[in-house]
C-alpha cells in the first residue's frame, strides 16, 4: 500500500498513473477530501487511529480500516456499514511496541472483542487480520521480535477464532524504515509512505 498522508494530489496522481490503486491515509478529513478529488477506482485504507464519531464519514467508501482497537469502534463500524449497505474489512490493531503512546490491543482484549462479534453475528464487518507498528528504533533485533510477536498473535487468532474463515489472512506490518524486516517476518500488507514520494 502507498501511504499518501500529507502528500499533495499531484503526487498521488503520479503514482496512480504508474498503476498504483491502493492508498492509505491516517486522517479522516484528509482522506475524504482526497477520495472526492481522485479517481473512483482507487481503493482506500484508513491506517490511523479512528474516533467513533468519524466512522460515518468514511463508511460509504472505505475498503479497509486497519486500526480497530476497541469494542465501541467495531460496533459503530458495523452500524455505519449497515446503513451504507456495505461490508467493511477491518484489522485488529495489536500493541507490540515498547512506546507508551502507541494504540493497540492485548491478545486478551482482542479475543474478547472477537468473541462478542461472533456471538452477535455481525453482517457488515469482516475481521481480515491483524495490524501493528514496531517501536521507532534502530535496534533491528527489537523490531524483528515485535513483528514476530504480531505474527504470533495472527496465528493464535486464526487458530482460536478464524480457522474456517478464508478472509482472515492479513498481517499489516512494515513501513519505509522497517519493511524488509516485516516482509521476512511474514507481512502480507506493507504500509509504505515516505520512500515512495519525492
Ligand atoms: C505514516 C504511516 C505509515 C508510513 O510511514 P513511512 O515511514 O512514511 O513509510 C505506515 N503506517 C502508519 C500507521 C502510518 O501512520
Amino acid at each position: 500500500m502507498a501511504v499518501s498522508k500529507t502528500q499533495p494530489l499531484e503526487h498521488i496522481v503520479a503514482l496512480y498513473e504508474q498503476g498504483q490503486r491502493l492508498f492509505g491515509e491516517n486522517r479522516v478529513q484528509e482522506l475524504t477530501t482526497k477520495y472526492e478529488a481522485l479517481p473512483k477506482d482507487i481503493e482506500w485504507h484508513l491506517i490511523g487511529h479512528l474516533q467513533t464519531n468519524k466512522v460515518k464519514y468514511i463508511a460509504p467508501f472505505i475498503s479497509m480500516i486497519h486500526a480497530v482497537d476497541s469494542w465501541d469502534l467495531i460496533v459503530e463500524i458495523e452500524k455505519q456499514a449497515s446503513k451504507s449497505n456495505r461490508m467493511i474489512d477491518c484489522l485488529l490493531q495489536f500493541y507490540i511496541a515498547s512506546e507508551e503512546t502507541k494504540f493497540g490491543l492485548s491478545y486478551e482484549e482482542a479475543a474478547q472483542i472477537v468473541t462478542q462479534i461472533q456471538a452477535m453475528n455481525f453482517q457488515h464487518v469482516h475481521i481480515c487480520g491483524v495490524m501493528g507498528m514496531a517501536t521507532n528504533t534502530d535496534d533491528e533485533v527489537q523490531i524483528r521480535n515485535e513483528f514476530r510477536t504480531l505474527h504470533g498473535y495472527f496465528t493464535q487468532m486464526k487458530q482460536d477464532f478464524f480457522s474456517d474463515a478464508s478472509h482472515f489472512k492479513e498481517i499489516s506490518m512494515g513501513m519505509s524504515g522497517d519493511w524488509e524486516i516485516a516482509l521476512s517476518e511474514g507481512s502480507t500488507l506493507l504500509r509504505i509512505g515516505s520512500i515512495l514520494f519525492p
Side-chain angles (χ1 to χ4, degrees):
M1 170 207 311
V3 177
S4 51
K5 67 184 186 202
T6 74
Q7 298 294 335
L9 295 179
E10 63 264 30
H11 288 176
I12 302 175
V13 168
L15 280 191
Y16 177 88
E17 284 172 350
Q18 294 177 56
Q20 180 70 25
R21 290 295 180 274
L22 173 57
F23 290 90
E25 288 282 333
N26 69 339
R27 290 175 184 278
V28 167
Q29 175 70 57
E30 188 177 342
L31 170 59
T32 53
T33 304
K34 286 174 174 173
Y35 165 74
E36 279 158 25
L38 289 164
K40 292 298 170 284
D41 61 339
I42 290 179
E43 188 184 334
W44 291 102
H45 286 192
L46 186 80
I47 60 174
H49 181 67
L50 176 57
Q51 289 173 282
T52 326
N53 61 358
K54 295 192 174 163
V55 175
K56 58 179 176 286
Y57 301 116
I58 59 171
F61 69 89
I62 197 78
S63 65
M64 185 179 276
I65 295 173
H66 282 232
V68 173
D69 61 357
S70 76
W71 169 246
D72 288 351
L73 180 57
I74 199 77
V75 168
E76 181 66 12
I77 295 169
E78 166 72 14
K79 180 176 148 196
Q80 297 298 335
S82 165
K83 274 192 192 171
S84 295
N85 201 16
R86 298 189 66 234
M87 175 70 82
I88 297 179
D89 290 344
C90 293
L91 304 179
L92 297 167
Q93 182 175 10
F94 283 87
Y95 183 82
I96 54 170
S98 63
E99 291 155 319
E100 279 297 319
T101 56
K102 299 261 161 92
F103 295 99
L105 302 162
S106 66
Y107 190 82
E108 290 67 32
E109 290 167 333
Q112 205 168 14
I113 289 172
V114 172
T115 301
Q116 283 173 279
I117 290 172
Q118 293 187 339
M120 292 176 70
N121 198 18
F122 281 8
Q123 295 297 312
H124 301 275
V125 296
H126 262 154
I127 304 295
C128 293
V130 303
M131 178 268 200
M133 285 173 85
T135 303
N136 186 8
T137 172
D138 290 336
D139 183 348
E140 295 197 0
V141 173
Q142 181 177 355
I143 294 170
R144 185 173 295 281
N145 280 331
E146 291 173 359
F147 287 152
R148 202 165 283 181
T149 298
L150 186 62
H151 195 152
Y153 289 151
F154 170 84
T155 305
Q156 192 69 46
M157 278 262 135
K158 180 88 185 164
Q159 185 183 312
D160 291 351
F161 299 100
F162 297 103
S163 53
D164 295 331
S166 58
H167 60 262
F168 190 86
K169 60 180 168 56
E170 303 291 357
I171 305 176
S172 166
M173 60 186 188
M175 326 198 316
S176 292
D178 56 20
W179 67 268
E180 285 162 296
I181 305 173
L183 205 53
S184 73
E185 292 299 329
S187 174
T188 64
L189 201 43
L190 300 171
R191 307 182 308 270
I192 308 290
S194 40
I195 56 173
L196 287 179
F197 292 97

